[in-house]
Amino acid sequence: LTLLLCNSDTTVGEISSRSFTMTFYAMTHVHVALATDYNSIRAKLSKRPHSTRLNTRGLSLRCAYSDPDSYHKSEADYNSLRRGVLGALAAAGFVCSTSRPTGSTFSAADKMLVANAATMIGEPVTDPRVLLRNALPVSLEGSPLVELDNQLRALAGGMSAKRSAAGSRSIVQSDTLLEGVAAVDAQALSVGLRKATSFANNKADQILEGIPPCNRPAAQRLLDQLTAGLSAFEQSAGRMNLQTLVHTQNDLLNVSGQLQSLMVEDVFVPEEYKNLPVLKGRAVVEITLYDDDRPGQENVVTVVLDGLNAPLTAGNFLDLVQKKFYNGMPVQRADGFVVQTGESAKISGRKIPMEVRFEGEQDITYGYTKDDLGFLRKQVVLPFNSQGTLAMARDEFDSNSADTQIFFLNRESEVTPSGTNVLDGNYAVFGYVVENQDAVSRLSVGDKIKSIDIKYGVDRFSASS
């Protein structure tokens, strides 16, 4: 199989994922000539096992984990990390080195091959914010927004987080979930806040230069809001409880995410759908949930709606939110697989076409599912990888029948494993729960949506495109 990959036109998509993964695992035990030798790798891992960047002939892979201090506690953990790193390096070096002069650059096909390889070796990305950042239709390479986002996420260094299944990490996933905070390091948090504030102030002009002129006024308002929020956070952090700390940090990340979305100048929507509501950007909403049997006990979940990759689906939902359609709506299905609501005699009177963007495609695909098109191995930019993935329900045999019914992915099951999901590309994903995911999994039939409030992004919404 290795020789086949290296000496023919066979592509990754023509070989089963299982066979490909097994080949890469076998390569971890093969001595391959790499520009970075093993001793150098081990030295780097020993210094920073939780955030290690390794380079070989232009390839850069980053490994990180949500609980960095635990990864030298046993030889087994260290060996597991070593095998993962060497496996990725070996796979990329072995596959991409054939008949390629030293120092030459990778082609687009090579880069896609390496990206697929890294995903197969590690666990799929499950962090919703990372999924959203990866799904941006424009590249963030070289943008200070990446470092700003990383610094805001690094504030977790001042809040010790418990590792959970929802926070599992992979070789291509480098960030830390902030849910389940156990303790606060006030000094580390204060240092992180000052560092992020300084960076935002110093890089403000550069950030604005990277944003299309039509979006710069909105970006300036968000930057002002971000710096004011950081300053207020630093002044009051010592008086906040853990829940408030996490919520405040998530709100700063929401602002950062909105800034990233403004790098996209416009979102194309076909003329035939011009009469439908549209969200040409991203929006943040807060959904207040309560158990009808226990009045007064409420949970608020934060959801990012992605109108960059699903403008009609997200626009339809936001239109219904503005009309308070979901207020008081009960949960109608909660089976450990999905949590579904939105079925009502109050129909919206419109149908929303199937809407999905595939990786590597510039345009959004309308009217057809992944199965309709026969794209069995093609990946989508908004996968059902994260607990709380938000999508539209539809009739089983009509791809263009979505109206008001929505569902949240509850958790992984036999048919919804992250990365190889039968739902991907067959139901339109338009958002992710980014805060308080566990509140979704606790919902049962009869629980209700009390209200949905729009926090950011309403300026990117219009009743028609």
Side-chain angles (χ1 to χ4, degrees):
L1 183 58
T2 298
L3 293 176
L4 181 68
L5 282 170
C6 294
N7 296 295
S8 77
D9 293 330
T10 303
T11 64
V12 176
E14 296 169 12
I15 301 172
S16 73
S17 297
R18 180 174 176 81
S19 297
F20 205 55
T21 305
M22 290 175 67
T23 301
F24 282 166
Y25 184 80
M27 284 183 183
T28 64
H29 302 288
V30 177
H31 293 284
V32 180
L34 298 174
T36 305
D37 60 48
Y38 171 75
N39 289 330
S40 174
I41 292 174
R42 179 160 187 153
K44 290 183 179 181
L45 289 178
S46 298
K47 291 177 183 177
R48 296 189 68 194
H50 60 292
S51 182
T52 302
R53 188 170 290 281
L54 308 173
N55 295 280
T56 174
R57 295 166 36 199
L59 170 68
S60 178
L61 298 172
R62 183 170 180 174
C63 304
Y65 295 87
S66 60
D67 188 6
D69 296 331
S70 69
Y71 274 83
H72 273 309
K73 291 182 180 178
S74 70
E75 188 66 15
D77 285 333
Y78 177 81
N79 286 335
S80 176
L81 175 61
R82 176 176 63 83
R83 283 197 301 272
V85 174
L86 291 180
L89 291 173
F94 204 62
V95 172
C96 298
S97 63
T98 303
S99 302
R100 186 177 300 284
T102 302
S104 63
T105 59
F106 288 124
S107 68
D110 287 334
K111 291 179 180 179
M112 183 63 71
L113 182 70
V114 172
N116 288 343
T119 300
M120 289 177 185
I121 289 175
E123 298 172 12
V125 177
T126 58
D127 185 324
R129 293 194 186 277
V130 178
L131 288 167
L132 287 163
R133 192 164 70 181
N134 291 346
L136 281 171
V138 297
S139 173
L140 287 177
E141 185 176 358
S143 172
L145 285 174
V146 175
E147 179 59 25
L148 176 62
D149 196 58
N150 288 338
Q151 290 197 21
L152 293 175
R153 298 180 69 90
L155 295 177
M159 293 183 280
S160 302
K162 299 176 182 178
R163 185 174 175 83
S164 67
S168 59
R169 306 263 65 69
S170 76
I171 204 166
V172 292
Q173 186 173 353
S174 59
D175 301 295
T176 303
L177 285 178
L178 308 180
E179 307 256 352
V181 171
V184 177
D185 183 335
Q187 182 176 359
L189 182 58
S190 178
V191 170
L193 286 166
R194 288 198 299 271
K195 184 178 178 180
T197 302
S198 175
F199 185 87
N201 288 327
N202 293 336
K203 297 293 183 179
D205 290 342
Q206 187 178 346
I207 289 172
L208 290 173
E209 287 175 5
I211 291 174
C214 61
N215 290 339
R216 285 176 188 168
Q220 182 63 67
R221 291 192 295 272
L222 287 171
L223 278 171
D224 293 342
Q225 184 175 349
L226 181 68
T227 52
L230 284 166
S231 177
F233 193 4
E234 183 178 2
Q235 294 175 13
S236 58
R239 301 187 299 273
M240 293 181 180
N241 59 34
L242 294 176
Q243 185 178 3
T244 305
L245 283 170
V246 173
H247 178 72
T248 304
Q249 186 173 22
N250 269 287
D251 196 52
L252 293 173
L253 286 167
N254 291 334
V255 177
S256 174
Q258 290 299 107
L259 277 168
Q260 293 172 22
S261 72
L262 291 179
M263 291 188 67
V264 181
E265 184 170 359
D266 195 15
V267 178
F268 172 74
V269 175
E271 183 71 16
E272 62 188 291
Y273 304 124
K274 66 179 182 179
N275 294 324
L276 294 175
V278 64
L279 175 64
K280 292 190 173 183
R282 286 178 175 166
V284 180
V285 299
E286 289 184 349
I287 304 177
T288 302
L289 308 165
Y290 67 89
D291 186 337
D292 200 31
D293 294 331
R294 291 177 292 175
Q297 294 194 18
E298 299 179 349
N299 285 294
V300 178
V301 300
T302 304
V303 179
V304 175
L305 307 177
D306 189 358
L308 299 177
N309 295 293
L312 297 181
T313 313
N316 174 67
F317 177 78
L318 209 57
D319 182 59
L320 294 170
V321 166
Q322 286 195 324
K323 295 174 179 177
K324 303 186 184 303
F325 177 86
Y326 295 103
N327 289 12
M329 185 75 67
V331 171
Q332 292 139 358
R333 176 183 176 186
D335 53 11
F337 171 47
V338 298
V339 173
Q340 186 167 323
T341 187
E343 182 178 6
S344 172
K346 302 183 299 179
I347 61 174
S348 65
R350 59 175 176 249
K351 298 295 182 182
I352 306 302
M354 178 64 195
E355 186 175 42
V356 59
R357 191 194 295 273
F358 295 99
E359 287 186 355
E361 299 287 340
Q362 181 177 0
D363 297 328
I364 298 170
T365 297
Y366 288 96
Y368 299 96
T369 68
K370 184 177 179 179
D371 285 352
D372 291 338
L373 298 169
F375 292 163
L376 300 182
R377 293 182 177 86
K378 209 159 191 177
Q379 300 299 309
V380 298
V381 299
L382 298 178
F384 283 88
N385 278 19
S386 178
Q387 180 182 4
T389 300
L390 178 59
M392 290 299 297
R394 60 173 177 80
D395 294 341
E396 182 178 1
F397 301 108
D398 186 352
S399 302
N400 302 301
S401 58
D403 47 23
T404 62
Q405 292 189 58
I406 60 172
F407 68 92
F408 297 90
L409 182 71
N410 199 347
R411 58 176 61 86
E412 288 189 345
S413 70
E414 293 80 0
V415 295
T416 60
S418 297
T420 56
N421 196 317
V422 298
L423 298 178
D424 286 348
N426 291 312
Y427 292 86
V429 172
F430 64 98
Y432 293 101
V433 175
V434 296
E435 185 180 359
N436 206 6
Q437 292 172 315
D438 289 342
V440 175
S441 65
R442 291 195 297 267
L443 289 172
S444 58
V445 174
D447 292 348
K448 292 182 179 179
I449 295 175
K450 180 180 179 181
S451 62
I452 304 179
D453 299 312
I454 305 170
K455 307 301 292 185
Y456 302 103
V458 69
D459 57 317
R460 314 300 293 179
F461 168 78
S462 62
S464 64
S465 55

